[in-house]
Amino acid sequence: MDRKAIATTEAPRAVGPYSQGVRAGSLVATSGQLPVSPASGEMVRGDIREAARQALANVFAVLAAAGASPTSVVKVTVYLTDMADFAAVNEVYREAFADPFPARTCVAVAALPLGAPLEIEALAVVE
């Protein structure tokens, strides 16, 4: 199976030896996306809802570069540094996805790169 790295200027650049996303056949996997504005390079801080919206916008930009969309997402993983943010992130998740919602895992972690409050990754299938 051919694998193709996905790169877009509409999401933050990879800061290490990884791709923003990879497409293998009809499967698209994004790397975890932090709430970093691709335009400014700055982290969205303060409001967890805005941080979640930015992280999801970055995920969706990588998916779009691979020919996928939010409706083609089958699995999402959310990493939170504070599980008290779970309900607020759920609100944003409900705005971003439609029923039937993708499968999802939410994990509490001790810390994330750059001091981010959350990180989101997705798996999608492109027909």
Side-chain angles (χ1 to χ4, degrees), residues 29-125:
T30 73
S31 289
Q33 296 294 313
L34 301 174
V36 173
S37 166
S40 69
E42 297 293 319
M43 178 87 61
V44 173
R45 301 227 183 249
D47 182 8
I48 192 64
R49 288 172 184 83
E50 288 306 311
R53 285 185 187 100
Q54 183 63 63
L56 283 167
N58 295 341
V59 166
F60 293 161
V62 174
L63 291 172
S69 70
T71 60
S72 61
V73 173
V74 295
K75 176 72 166 79
V76 174
T77 305
V78 178
Y79 303 92
L80 293 174
T81 58
D82 186 349
M83 204 47 97
D85 292 331
F86 184 80
V89 172
N90 263 347
E91 291 174 24
V92 175
Y93 189 87
R94 185 176 301 280
E95 294 169 4
F97 294 103
D99 194 17
F101 294 102
R104 184 182 73 185
T105 301
C106 185
V107 180
V109 296
L112 289 166
L114 307 176
L118 82 161
E119 185 172 13
I120 301 174
E121 64 184 23
L123 188 62
V125 177

Side-chain angles (χ1 to χ4, degrees), residues 1-4 23-27:
M1 179 179 302
D2 289 334
R3 291 184 315 140
K4 178 185 176 199
R23 182 168 177 174
S26 62
L27 186 66

